[in-house]
Amino acid sequence: MKKDLLDILVEISEKMASTLKEDELLNDILEIAQEYLSVKRISIMIINGDHLVIKAAVGLHLDYKSLKVPLGNGISGKVATTGEPIVINKGSSTNWELGYDTKSYMSVPLRIKDKLIGVLNLTDKEDDYFSDDDIKIAKYIASQCAISIEKAQIYESIRRSENLQLIGKFTSTIIHDIKNLLNIVQNYVELLEIASEDKSDFKEYVDNIYTELKLIHGLVMDILDFSKNQITLKTTKIELDDFMEYIIKHTSIMLKPYNIDFYVNYPPGIIFYGDKDKLFRVLFNLINNAVDAVGENGKIKLKVLQENNHLLFIIEDNGKGIPAEMVDRIFDPFYTAGKEKGTGLGLAVVKDIVNAHNGTIAVESKVGEYTKFLIRLPISG
Ligand SMILES: Nc1ncnc2c1ncn2[C@@H]1O[C@H](COP(=O)(O)OP(=O)(O)O)[C@@H](O)[C@H]1O
Ligand SMILES: [Mg+2]
């Protein structure tokens, strides 16, 4: 049975109140509208430069994400320039911009305040006739979609300015950390100059410089990753064997001064997909934290297991552990505890990168005994 108009309006406003996830919300609104107005296809196109691109759609079968319609072209292109709705009823076969032939077509403008931002298209009405009421409802749906898009834009700009404020607030602390690390490097370079007469201490000093530079590089990368609003992944094919060798090479030097027992185990011959540099940051940050937690003569284990279509990375240390009341906060940006040199960015970045890979992260710990981070990543990236 067809739903009442009132039910539809209530359903749409409830959806809008319940989520800030723009894509999901637009899709839900379009599905409701598609059902109520009995149209085959419904889409939202947004002005991007001098083109219209599809932001959300229901009922389209082609790969519409790459489609661009020049402003002024076709029905939707015209509506997006004039701001006037176009309705075609029982028309002769209209060759729509998306390549569908359709006998009924309605395109209404999307506006945020007075600004034209795109169009809402509805095609192939059940009886190929849009009534005046249908047009009013389509305009209402368009206004709700515009509100959702505006809400998402506002939310994004708040998030961005909060991030920038936080970075501003902590810049001096972070710069201070970088300065301390660079001082250590400088000291070793001076020692190298002195020791260049008698070359025996060379290797140790160079190793130490290398470790400190790695830490500085890591810190700078964390700040950069964090300051971006969204992590963009450069996903490639990764051979687990190579990846693990790379991790061992670049972290073992960090463990050496503390005489830490580093145990690594992973199944051979596995191929997965992801952003190699970013996943390196994940493991580097976790190993770095484990080093801080165990101190001298500790043990750190890095294990990888395959679980169906996921890889499970386990990083375990026998260090001081994390008290239960802290566990919920350790992933918060700038949360740091019990360290002189902490910035609190490490785990925030780890979490962002894991989420961007559609992975999950969990932590198990017992104070004074151990800490275990478990990361699940889809093999397909
Ligand atoms: N393996 C671990 N063992 C004990 N505590 C940890 C471990 N990993 C993280 N923590 C706690 O979580 C906090 C946040 O970590 P992180 O975000 O990397 O920031 P930072 O290392 O700069 O303090 C750390 O300060 C520490 O108190
Ligand atoms: Mg850290």
Side-chain angles (χ1 to χ4, degrees), residues 224-267:
L224 285 181
D225 276 346
F226 184 74
S227 63
K228 285 183 200 137
N229 291 299
Q230 224 175 340
I231 293 205
T232 25
L233 298 181
K234 285 198 205 97
T235 300
T236 59
K237 179 174 163 180
I238 305 173
E239 292 185 15
L240 183 66
D241 301 74
D242 292 350
F243 183 65
M244 297 306 282
E245 270 174 36
Y246 184 79
I247 306 264
I248 294 168
K249 181 170 165 219
H250 290 270
T251 52
S252 52
I253 206 160
M254 185 163 85
L255 313 174
K256 221 163 68 182
Y258 305 99
N259 194 30
I260 289 169
D261 177 7
F262 189 35
Y263 168 87
V264 183
N265 188 262
Y266 54 93

Side-chain angles (χ1 to χ4, degrees), residues 9-20:
L9 302 187
V10 170
E11 214 178 311
I12 290 179
S13 59
E14 276 176 357
K15 285 261 186 293
M16 291 185 56
S18 69
T19 178
L20 267 171

Side-chain angles (χ1 to χ4, degrees), residues 233 349-361 377:
L233 298 181
V349 168
V350 164
K351 193 171 177 191
D352 278 352
I353 296 174
V354 171
N355 285 344
H357 281 85
N358 292 318
T360 57
I361 181 160
L377 298 175

Side-chain angles (χ1 to χ4, degrees), residues 70-322:
L71 287 183
N73 272 29
I75 300 171
S76 49
K78 283 203 183 77
V79 175
T81 31
T82 61
E84 293 298 324
I86 294 181
V87 181
I88 294 171
N89 279 330
K90 297 194 171 160
S92 57
S93 168
T94 312
N95 199 345
W96 184 34
E97 295 86 273
L98 290 182
Y100 292 104
D101 283 345
T102 171
K103 292 192 174 63
S104 46
Y105 192 127
M106 163 156 52
S107 184
V108 293
L110 282 182
R111 285 196 177 86
I112 291 182
K113 307 216 168 63
D114 282 337
K115 195 171 167 236
L116 205 53
I117 60 153
V119 299
L120 175 74
N121 295 313
L122 300 95
T123 61
D124 278 322
K125 168 90 181 165
E126 203 171 44
D127 49 6
D128 284 323
Y129 186 85
F130 288 108
S131 68
D132 287 348
D133 277 350
D134 291 342
I135 300 171
K136 279 187 203 148
I137 293 164
K139 284 183 176 169
Y140 169 80
I141 306 265
S143 71
Q144 299 308 300
C145 291
I147 292 171
S148 308
I149 293 168
E150 186 186 23
K151 226 163 83 175
Q153 285 174 354
I154 294 172
Y155 180 68
E156 189 48 37
S157 80
I158 292 174
R159 203 181 106 87
R160 190 173 311 158
S161 73
E162 275 177 354
N163 268 359
L164 290 176
Q165 268 179 26
L166 277 177
I167 287 176
K169 207 163 133 199
F170 285 85
T171 300
S172 60
T173 334
I174 290 163
I175 298 286
H176 188 75
D177 286 336
I178 295 178
K179 202 187 78 201
N180 284 344
L181 291 166
L182 282 172
N183 273 344
I184 300 174
V185 174
Q186 202 184 331
N187 288 341
Y188 279 113
V189 173
E190 281 167 15
L191 282 173
L192 258 185
E193 271 179 356
I194 298 167
S196 58
E197 299 285 307
D198 152 25
K199 299 201 172 69
S200 59
D201 294 329
F202 255 46
K203 172 111 185 53
E204 188 196 335
Y205 296 158
V206 170
D207 280 358
N208 289 341
I209 289 173
Y210 189 75
T211 311
E212 297 299 323
L213 285 176
K214 274 252 155 273
L215 290 174
I216 298 168
H217 182 253
L219 188 52
V220 171
M221 290 307 287
D222 280 350
I223 299 166
L224 285 181
D225 276 346
F226 184 74
S227 63
K228 285 183 200 137
N229 291 299
Q230 224 175 340
I231 293 205
T232 25
L233 298 181
K234 285 198 205 97
T235 300
T236 59
K237 179 174 163 180
I238 305 173
E239 292 185 15
L240 183 66
D241 301 74
D242 292 350
F243 183 65
M244 297 306 282
E245 270 174 36
Y246 184 79
I247 306 264
I248 294 168
K249 181 170 165 219
H250 290 270
T251 52
S252 52
I253 206 160
M254 185 163 85
L255 313 174
K256 221 163 68 182
Y258 305 99
N259 194 30
I260 289 169
D261 177 7
F262 189 35
Y263 168 87
V264 183
N265 188 262
Y266 54 93
I270 288 194
I271 286 177
F272 67 111
Y273 291 82
D275 185 320
K276 192 175 169 197
D277 291 337
K278 297 236 157 43
L279 291 176
F280 170 75
R281 293 233 40 76
V282 167
L283 294 176
F284 179 89
N285 282 355
L286 292 175
I287 294 168
N288 201 359
N289 281 343
V291 173
D292 289 342
V294 295
E296 292 211 9
N297 301 318
K299 279 198 188 100
I300 299 175
K301 280 190 218 166
L302 168 58
K303 273 191 287 188
V304 188
L305 305 170
Q306 180 171 2
E307 285 184 339
N308 300 321
N309 44 7
H310 282 77
L311 284 186
L312 172 63
F313 289 79
I314 304 173
I315 299 91
E316 184 175 357
D317 67 68
N318 65 345
K320 62 182 178 174
I322 308 175

